[in-house]
Amino acid sequence: MRWPAAWAAAAAAVWTAVVAWRLCATYARLETQPWADFVLACAFLPRIALGYAPRLFYLAGLWLVWFSLGRLLLRFLKAGRPEAQDDTLAWKLEHAMLCAGAGMAAASLGLLLLGLAGFLHPAALRWLFWAALAASCASTLPAACRSGWAPVFRRPSRLPGPWDGAALLLLFCAAVLNLLSVYPPVIFYDALVYHLALPKLYLLRHGIVPTPHNVFTGVPFGVEMLYGWCLALTKDNLPSVLHASLGLAAAAALWAAARRLGGPSTGLLACLLFSLCPAVLVSGAVPGVELGGSFYCVLAFLALLRSAEAPEGRALPWSVLAGWLVGAAMGTKYSLMPVGVVLVATHLWMVRGRPSAWRCTAAMAAAASLAVLPWLVKNAWFYGNPLHPFLNGRLGLAGPADWSGFLASSGSRDLTEVLTTAAGLKRLLLQGWESTMGRPPMNNWPGPAFLLLLPWALLTRWGARPMAAAPSGERRGTLPCEDGGPMAAALAAAGCLAVWTASTSHMRFLIPGLGFVALAVAVAVDAGAFPAWLRRLGWAVAIVAGAFNFQVVFHQRMERGLTAFLSGEQDTARYLMRVRPTYSQPYYSAMAFIDEKLPPDARVLFLGEARAYYCERDFIASTVFDLNPFWTELRGSADAAELSRRLKAMGVTHLFLNASELMHRRDSAVVMPREDMRRQVFDDFWTLYLRKLFEDRQTNVPDDPHWVIVYELLGEPERDPSARPANPARELLNALETARPKEAGSSQARAALLSPETARP
C-alpha cells in the first residue's frame, strides 16, 4: 500500500467533518444518561445469573459437540490442526472457530435428514445431545491434554493503547447488553412466525412436514434446525442466547482474519466496526439467522486465506473446507447465494496463476453445492420447486396469495425500474447514504461509522498481486500480510455491497457480508500507509460512532420493557400480554390456555394470527401473505356441515381467533377476505359448529386492546340456541363497514370497534 497524496488526506478529513456535521443535525448527540441507565441495568446481572446457568450449560455443550464434529471433519479432509509453531492463542482460536463452524454446518444438515426421516422427536434429540456431549468430552479433552493444545501466551509486540482500551470497553458493553437483552421471552415477530414457530411445529409433529400456507417454509433453515435442537433441550430462551453467541463467534473469527491482514489492533478495529453496528446489535438480541450467516462467511474467508497460503500440494483440503462453509452460509438464507458466488470468485482471484487454481476453485464450488443441495432437494420433494417460493408459477406450487406484499416486506428491488428510470438508478446509487442519513428502524440502520470512514477505504491503494503460496513444508506467519489478502477482503466487501444494493433496500440483508466491509475498512484505517494523524482520526471516528450506536440501541431496548423483566416486576405472562415494539396485538393469554387446558393431541387452526411459537399443541398457522386454509375450505363448501367435515379431515380440533389482529390487518384481502366473511356459510358454521372455551377481551386501553378467543370444533351442530357463540369476525366486518374510513385508522377507533358496545351480532 502506498502513501496517499496530501490532498487525498485532507479530503478524507473534510469528508469526515461534513458528514459528522450532517449527522449531528439529524440525530441526537452523545449523552450521559443512557450510560448511567446501562450501569443500573448491569446491577441485574447477579439476579439473572441463576436463570442463565442452564442455558449457558447447554450452549457450552452444543459448541463443544460442534467443535468435536468439526475436528473430525477437518481430519477427514486432511486439513489437520495448526502446525507446531502455531501454538499461540490467536492460531488456536482461529482453528477452534473453523472446527466449530464446520461441525455446526454438519449438525444442521444432520438434523435436516433426521427431520425428513421422521425422527425429530424431542426426547430423541435430548438423548442425542447427551450422547454427543459425552463422546465429545471423551475424545476432545484427553486429546487436548496429550497434544499440548493449551494456548501459549506470548508477550505482545506493543502494549494496548488508549484506542484499543476504548474499543475493548465498547465491545464488552455490547456483549453485556446482548446478554441482558436475550434474557426476556421472545417477542421478535419473524421468530414467532417462522424462525422458532416452524422448528417448534417440526418437534410437535416429530418430523419436517410441508407447510405450504407459510411462505417462509421454503427458505433454507440452516440456523433454524439448530434452534429446533435448542427447543428440544429446554423451554428457556436458548435460541436467542445461541444467536447472540454466533455474533460473538463471528467477531472472534473476524479478529482472526483481520489479524492476519494487519495485526491485532486491526482485528480489534474490525470487531468494533462490526459488533457496534446498530443492525448487528439489534440482531444479536433476537433469534434470527443473520449472525449465523456472518459467522459462516467470515470462517469461509479464513479458510480461503489458508488455502491461498498453503503449499501447492496442501491447498485442496482448505478449498473444500471453504466451500463447505460457503454452502453452510447459503443454507441460512436465499439472499446469501449470490454472496457464495462472490466468495468463490474471490478464491479464484486469490490463487490465480497457480497450477491448481481452477482445480481448487472447482472443488470449493462443488463443496458449497453439496452443502446447500439438501435444502433444494427438500423443496423439490415437498413443493416441486427447489427455490420455493421463488419462481412460483413456473415451477411447483403457486406462490403466496400476496406475493407483492412478500417482496415489499423484504425491501426487494425492482431491477427493471433501476435500469429504465432515473429515479430508480438514483435510489440505487444513494442507498448507502440514505440508509445512514435517514431514520430507518434500528435493524436496518448501519450507523455512521462506515460512511464516515469511506474515504480511508477509497483512498487506499489495494495490492493486486495474487497470494503466494508458502514454500513446501513451511507456513506463512509474518504479519502484516503484504500480498493479495487485503485486496481479497476488499473484493469480497465490494461484491457483498453490490449484491445488497442490487437486491434489497433493507440493511439487515447485508449483515452476513458486513464482516467483509468491516474487515476492509479496518485494514484501510489501521494498516494502510496513511499519516499517523489520519490513522488516529479514523480510530477516533470509529470509537465515537460506536459509542453513539450503543446508546441509541440501548434506548430502544429500554422501550421494550427490558428493565421491568430483569427486575422481576413482570413475569413471562405479564411481559407477553403487553404491547411492545415488534409485538402488537398480544395473543399469549390464549396460548397459555391452550397449553394448559387442551388435550395433548389437539390441533389448533389459527385465524387472524400468524404467530404460533408459544403454542405447545399441534397447529396450523398462515402468514399474512398466505391465504389461510380455513378460507380455502370455506370457498369449497356448500354449507356449514361440509366446512366442518373438511376441517375435521385436516385434523383440526380447535380454532383460535385473534380478533384484534384481524382488525389490525383489516386492509389485507388475504388476512381478512371480506367477501368470504359475508357468506352465510361462514355465519352458520360459526354459530353451529364452534363452542367457545376461552375469551380474553380488553378494550378499555386504546393503545393496548386485545381480543383473543379459543373454540372447540364440533362434529354435530349445536342444538341449544343459548350456547351458540356470536361471530366476532362478522361483528368486526359490520363495524368496519359502518365506520367512516378516517375513524377506523386511529388506535382509539380500533379500540372502540373492538368494544362490546360497538361490535354487535
Side-chain angles (χ1 to χ4, degrees), residues 631-648:
W631 305 116
T632 304
E633 300 302 329
L634 174 65
R635 293 174 182 180
S637 301
D639 53 33
E642 183 180 355
L643 177 57
S644 176
R645 289 194 299 269
R646 285 172 174 263
L647 295 178
K648 287 286 186 181

Side-chain angles (χ1 to χ4, degrees), residues 276-612:
L276 270 296
C277 172
V280 174
L281 276 172
V282 171
S283 183
V286 297
V289 300
E290 288 79 12
L291 295 182
S294 297
F295 179 54
Y296 286 134
C297 284
V298 177
L299 286 182
F301 187 78
L302 270 175
L304 291 185
L305 292 176
R306 288 199 172 195
S307 173
E309 72 180 12
E312 184 63 30
R314 298 169 59 185
L316 185 62
W318 293 110
S319 298
V320 173
L321 178 62
W324 178 255
L325 293 168
V326 166
M330 295 163 65
T332 62
K333 185 175 282 191
Y334 278 134
S335 58
L336 280 177
M337 290 189 174
V339 175
V341 176
V342 168
L343 290 176
V344 172
T346 301
H347 177 271
L348 181 61
W349 182 91
M350 293 169 70
V351 299
R352 70 192 189 281
R354 295 174 58 173
S356 62
W358 286 100
R359 182 166 65 95
C360 289
T361 303
M364 177 184 175
S369 302
L370 181 64
V372 77
L373 183 62
W375 300 106
L376 307 182
V377 172
K378 185 266 292 183
N379 285 343
W381 182 15
F382 282 170
Y383 311 111
N385 177 5
L387 296 177
H388 179 81
F390 296 95
L391 299 180
N392 63 81
R394 303 176 186 175
L395 294 175
L397 300 179
D402 188 9
W403 178 247
S404 59
F406 171 72
L407 294 178
S409 69
S410 60
S412 180
R413 190 179 299 282
D414 185 357
L415 289 180
T416 303
E417 180 191 11
V418 171
L419 298 175
T420 58
T421 66
L425 182 61
K426 179 182 177 182
R427 283 195 294 271
L428 178 74
L429 297 177
L430 295 180
Q431 177 162 304
W433 176 273
E434 295 295 340
S435 297
T436 303
M437 292 300 184
R439 289 183 175 271
M442 285 297 102
N443 65 334
N444 281 320
W445 190 47
F450 294 105
L451 187 62
L452 287 167
L453 295 175
L454 180 63
W456 279 258
L458 294 180
L459 297 176
T460 296
R461 295 189 178 183
W462 304 92
R465 290 179 298 166
M467 291 189 66
S472 179
E474 299 182 11
R475 183 177 182 84
R476 184 192 312 279
T478 58
L479 295 172
C481 181
E482 294 292 345
D483 50 24
M487 183 61 180
L491 288 176
C496 292
L497 286 170
V499 169
W500 171 59
T501 54
S503 59
T504 178
S505 60
H506 286 187
M507 167 64 195
R508 68 177 186 272
F509 291 101
L510 179 61
I511 291 177
L514 192 64
F516 302 130
V517 180
L519 180 59
V521 172
V523 169
V525 171
D526 193 65
F530 289 102
W533 68 269
L534 199 57
R535 177 178 176 272
R536 287 193 290 269
L537 176 61
W539 266 96
V541 167
I543 295 294
V544 174
F548 177 74
N549 294 342
F550 178 87
Q551 77 171 30
V552 171
V553 174
F554 177 76
H555 177 72
Q556 184 200 56
R557 298 284 168 83
M558 292 300 100
E559 292 179 346
R560 298 190 177 191
L562 179 61
T563 304
F565 189 85
L566 294 176
S567 65
E569 178 184 340
Q570 294 181 354
D571 58 9
T572 297
R574 292 183 61 189
Y575 184 82
L576 292 174
M577 289 182 185
R578 295 293 305 274
V579 170
R580 305 184 188 281
T582 76
Y583 184 73
S584 61
Q585 327 307 323
Y587 71 111
Y588 182 77
S589 59
M591 298 301 101
F593 173 83
I594 289 172
D595 298 343
E596 181 180 356
K597 300 297 184 181
L598 296 195
D601 59 347
R603 174 175 289 182
V604 185
L605 174 63
F606 282 52
L607 194 60
E609 179 59 78
R611 301 165 295 180

Side-chain angles (χ1 to χ4, degrees), residues 171-386:
L171 288 170
F172 175 77
C173 291
V176 172
L177 177 60
N178 277 343
L179 187 67
L180 295 171
S181 301
V182 297
Y183 189 72
V186 178
I187 58 174
F188 179 44
Y189 184 85
D190 290 0
L192 301 178
V193 173
Y194 66 100
H195 286 315
L196 296 182
L198 287 181
K200 166 71 77 173
L201 180 64
Y202 299 157
L203 293 177
L204 292 172
R205 299 192 182 181
H206 303 164
I208 297 177
V209 295
T211 51
H213 43 271
N214 190 315
V215 66
F216 301 101
T217 187
V219 177
F221 268 21
V223 176
E224 284 89 345
M225 297 310 300
L226 303 176
Y227 290 165
W229 202 358
C230 293
L231 296 176
L233 295 177
T234 176
K235 292 185 178 181
D236 291 330
N237 190 10
L238 185 56
S240 294
V241 182
L242 172 59
H243 195 235
S245 73
L246 288 173
L248 294 176
L254 187 61
W255 179 85
R259 169 192 165 274
R260 281 173 165 265
L261 304 184
S265 63
T266 307
L268 197 58
L269 180 58
C271 289
L272 178 69
L273 293 172
F274 174 77
S275 300
L276 270 296
C277 172
V280 174
L281 276 172
V282 171
S283 183
V286 297
V289 300
E290 288 79 12
L291 295 182
S294 297
F295 179 54
Y296 286 134
C297 284
V298 177
L299 286 182
F301 187 78
L302 270 175
L304 291 185
L305 292 176
R306 288 199 172 195
S307 173
E309 72 180 12
E312 184 63 30
R314 298 169 59 185
L316 185 62
W318 293 110
S319 298
V320 173
L321 178 62
W324 178 255
L325 293 168
V326 166
M330 295 163 65
T332 62
K333 185 175 282 191
Y334 278 134
S335 58
L336 280 177
M337 290 189 174
V339 175
V341 176
V342 168
L343 290 176
V344 172
T346 301
H347 177 271
L348 181 61
W349 182 91
M350 293 169 70
V351 299
R352 70 192 189 281
R354 295 174 58 173
S356 62
W358 286 100
R359 182 166 65 95
C360 289
T361 303
M364 177 184 175
S369 302
L370 181 64
V372 77
L373 183 62
W375 300 106
L376 307 182
V377 172
K378 185 266 292 183
N379 285 343
W381 182 15
F382 282 170
Y383 311 111
N385 177 5

